[in-house]
Amino acid sequence: MDNRTCDIHIRVTEQEKRRMEAQAKQAGIGLSAYLRRVGIGEDLTQPNPAELFDDLEEGVARGHHEDLGHQG
């Protein structure tokens, strides 16, 4: 797992945020993982198992169970 130490902050509209969250959910990954992968031009047709684990670990660490990417 990569040690991510840099933050990128962007401002979006509420509608843009909802759209990005929906696209991340459709891809089966969390919003951070989605934005990282799209930002570096990765193909999202197959989830990256490392990103799925990172989202789970991040959600548990923060106590944000809604960030865990559960489908259903």
Side-chain angles (χ1 to χ4, degrees), residues 30-44:
L31 182 58
S32 292
Y34 174 80
L35 293 173
R36 269 193 303 274
R37 292 183 67 189
V38 168
I40 62 173
E42 279 191 30
D43 180 12
L44 295 178

Side-chain angles (χ1 to χ4, degrees), residues 1 28-30 32-33 36 48-70:
M1 176 173 55
I29 56 179
S32 292
R36 269 193 303 274
N48 179 331
E51 293 287 358
L52 294 171
F53 180 77
D54 289 348
D55 287 343
L56 174 63
E57 186 176 67
E58 180 179 317
V60 170
R62 294 182 182 199
H64 293 211
H65 302 290
E66 66 275 8
D67 292 343
L68 298 180
H70 291 283

Side-chain angles (χ1 to χ4, degrees), residues 2-52:
D2 293 330
N3 185 14
R4 296 186 178 96
T5 59
C6 297
D7 290 335
I8 298 174
H9 299 271
I10 62 170
R11 293 192 183 274
V12 296
T13 65
E14 198 58 42
Q15 181 181 7
E16 289 169 329
K17 181 182 177 191
R18 285 192 304 268
R19 186 173 172 196
M20 288 185 279
E21 289 171 334
Q23 290 171 331
K25 185 175 182 176
Q26 184 178 6
I29 56 179
L31 182 58
S32 292
Y34 174 80
L35 293 173
R36 269 193 303 274
R37 292 183 67 189
V38 168
I40 62 173
E42 279 191 30
D43 180 12
L44 295 178
T45 58
Q46 301 261 337
N48 179 331
E51 293 287 358
L52 294 171

